[in-house]
Amino acid sequence: MHQRKLGPFTVSAIGLGCMNLSHAYGTPPPAEQGEKVLRAALDAGVTLFDTAALYGFGSNEKLVGPVLKSRRGEITLCSKGGMAGVTGDDGAMKRVIDGRPEAIVRNCEDSLRRLQTDVIDLYYLHRWDKKVPIEDSVGAMSRLVEQGKVRTIGLSEVSAPTIRKAHRVHPLTAVQTEYSLWTRNPEIAVIDACRELGIAFVAFSPVARGFLCDAVPDVATLDAKDIRKSMPRFAPEHHARNLKLLPPYRALAREAGCTPAQLALAWLLHKGGDILPIPGTTSVEHLREDLAAADVKLDAGLVARLEDLVNERTVSGNRYGEQANREVDTETFPA
């Protein structure tokens, strides 16, 4: 497995985003299947694992922790707080963004217990709670570092100005944001800010939520609980336009000698040695396909044609709906 630096850690160039095993894309697979994927990742040399308190309202951390426990010293374990599930008045769990210091401390302690570990290697603020100054949230995270509960800290879905404010309070190891051929927002300012400050960039949803795997031909087949149901790019009218990108995209993958998913991941790896994609999957077969992308070589001409084909101008629809757009702090391209 190729290696890259993530702050003080040396990790596999491609990590594993664990969310799919418990959350977001319809009914999750049985726990046994999730454990199988995690063990296959370990055996294949993956050393970067990403989870969060939110995923499955804690169930993802409960799944990940026991499996990784026996190999804890070999891996870099990442989780996130500041956005978690709470029990509402009706008894149902709901998602809440809460960046108050006391909430971050509580989230971290809950995550440590579920993950069955004494320390989290990289702890992210999952969302900036805009009711709380970023300096206050990061200050609480810095105290977790001082207490030995967290080794390093990062932010998720934030803008370049927020990164700079946070970094002045405590050095950030990583910023995590959606980044793929069809979501290029980090190229506006965030990647430049990270490079200026020596912060690694972790790319989630690197295969465009399955679209660049050529895996979503019919949005009508998506599970009712699938988060893509609320994403404009998967609305029927936008999805129909976006599907027109796939035939020439497949042709470029064939030219590169790889699968569509591998092409998306290889493109990210070619964007810089400080970029670490964390694709997720519920399939051991797809996991192995994703990891093989680290060996795909792309020449400059093919990269140029690829970027000309799939970009913020050619993709139809926003990446998030109205509510999610209000919750994140990322820069956006002009309409």
Side-chain angles (χ1 to χ4, degrees):
M1 177 66 68
H2 299 271
Q3 306 291 305
R4 293 194 167 187
K5 295 295 292 182
L6 177 63
F9 313 111
T10 299
V11 299
S12 51
I14 298 175
L16 181 65
C18 300
M19 181 179 77
N20 316 44
L21 300 176
S22 309
H23 185 84
Y25 292 101
T27 302
E32 296 77 12
Q33 177 64 19
E35 292 169 4
K36 187 176 179 181
V37 171
L38 290 165
R39 291 195 177 94
L42 287 167
D43 292 343
V46 174
T47 56
L48 175 61
F49 291 83
D50 184 273
T51 182
L54 176 70
Y55 301 160
F57 298 133
S59 64
N60 193 246
E61 290 178 323
K62 290 179 181 178
L63 171 71
V64 168
V67 176
L68 301 185
K69 188 175 181 180
S70 64
R71 307 274 287 273
R72 185 66 183 86
E74 304 170 28
I75 67 164
T76 296
L77 180 60
C78 311
S79 194
K80 310 177 195 73
M83 182 163 68
V86 299
T87 304
D89 294 337
D90 59 357
M93 292 291 287
K94 61 178 182 178
R95 187 193 67 165
V96 172
I97 297 174
D98 190 346
R100 294 174 301 157
E102 59 268 30
I104 290 171
V105 170
R106 182 174 62 251
N107 288 169
C108 181
E109 290 174 348
D110 289 344
S111 290
L112 287 167
R113 183 181 65 256
R114 289 188 293 258
L115 290 166
Q116 299 183 20
T117 187
D118 295 328
V119 62
I120 296 168
D121 297 313
L122 172 55
Y123 193 59
Y124 293 96
L125 184 66
H126 203 156
R127 288 288 186 276
W128 173 33
D129 179 352
K130 297 175 185 178
K131 302 185 298 296
V132 179
I134 190 66
E135 293 89 346
D136 291 358
S137 298
V138 173
M141 296 169 77
S142 73
R143 289 187 287 277
L144 292 172
V145 176
E146 293 167 2
Q147 294 164 9
K149 296 178 180 179
V150 167
R151 290 198 170 98
T152 66
I153 66 172
L155 301 179
S156 176
E157 294 270 49
V158 291
S159 63
T162 302
I163 291 168
R164 296 182 194 282
K165 289 179 185 178
H167 195 70
R168 285 195 288 268
V169 175
H170 189 279
L172 302 176
T173 283
V175 168
Q176 181 176 142
T177 292
E178 181 176 358
Y179 187 32
S180 69
L181 278 160
W182 89 339
T183 296
R184 310 286 275 279
N185 305 61
E187 296 176 0
I188 299 171
V190 165
I191 290 176
D192 287 344
C194 287
R195 286 175 174 162
E196 177 188 332
L197 299 171
I199 301 168
F201 185 92
V202 176
F204 76 76
S205 296
V207 292
R209 301 187 184 274
F211 181 82
L212 292 176
C213 299
D214 201 2
V216 195
D218 184 0
V219 292
T221 64
L222 294 177
D223 188 282
K225 296 181 180 179
D226 195 308
I227 59 171
R228 290 172 291 189
K229 286 276 193 180
S230 67
M231 294 178 173
R233 289 177 182 175
F234 292 96
E237 65 275 17
H238 292 299
H239 187 63
R241 297 188 193 109
N242 292 328
L243 285 175
K244 295 176 182 178
L245 298 171
L246 286 180
Y249 179 76
R250 293 187 202 107
L252 287 173
R254 288 193 296 271
E255 184 177 336
C258 64
T259 67
Q262 289 169 345
L263 181 59
L265 292 167
W267 175 80
L268 273 170
L269 293 173
H270 279 72
K271 296 301 286 184
D274 53 351
I275 294 176
L276 296 104
I278 51 167
T281 183
T282 60
S283 160
V284 171
E285 180 183 358
H286 291 161
L287 168 72
R288 291 171 178 155
E289 175 188 349
D290 289 346
L291 299 180
D295 295 318
V296 174
K297 305 299 181 186
L298 302 178
D299 64 54
L302 191 144
V303 168
R305 284 182 287 143
L306 184 58
E307 293 181 349
D308 188 56
L309 174 67
V310 186
N311 58 62
E312 72 280 2
R313 298 179 306 277
T314 63
V315 172
S316 181
N318 292 323
R319 73 181 182 111
Y320 281 149
E322 185 177 343
Q323 177 181 336
N325 276 327
R326 288 196 305 267
E327 292 175 349
V328 299
D329 176 47
T330 47
E331 289 88 353
T332 59
F333 290 101

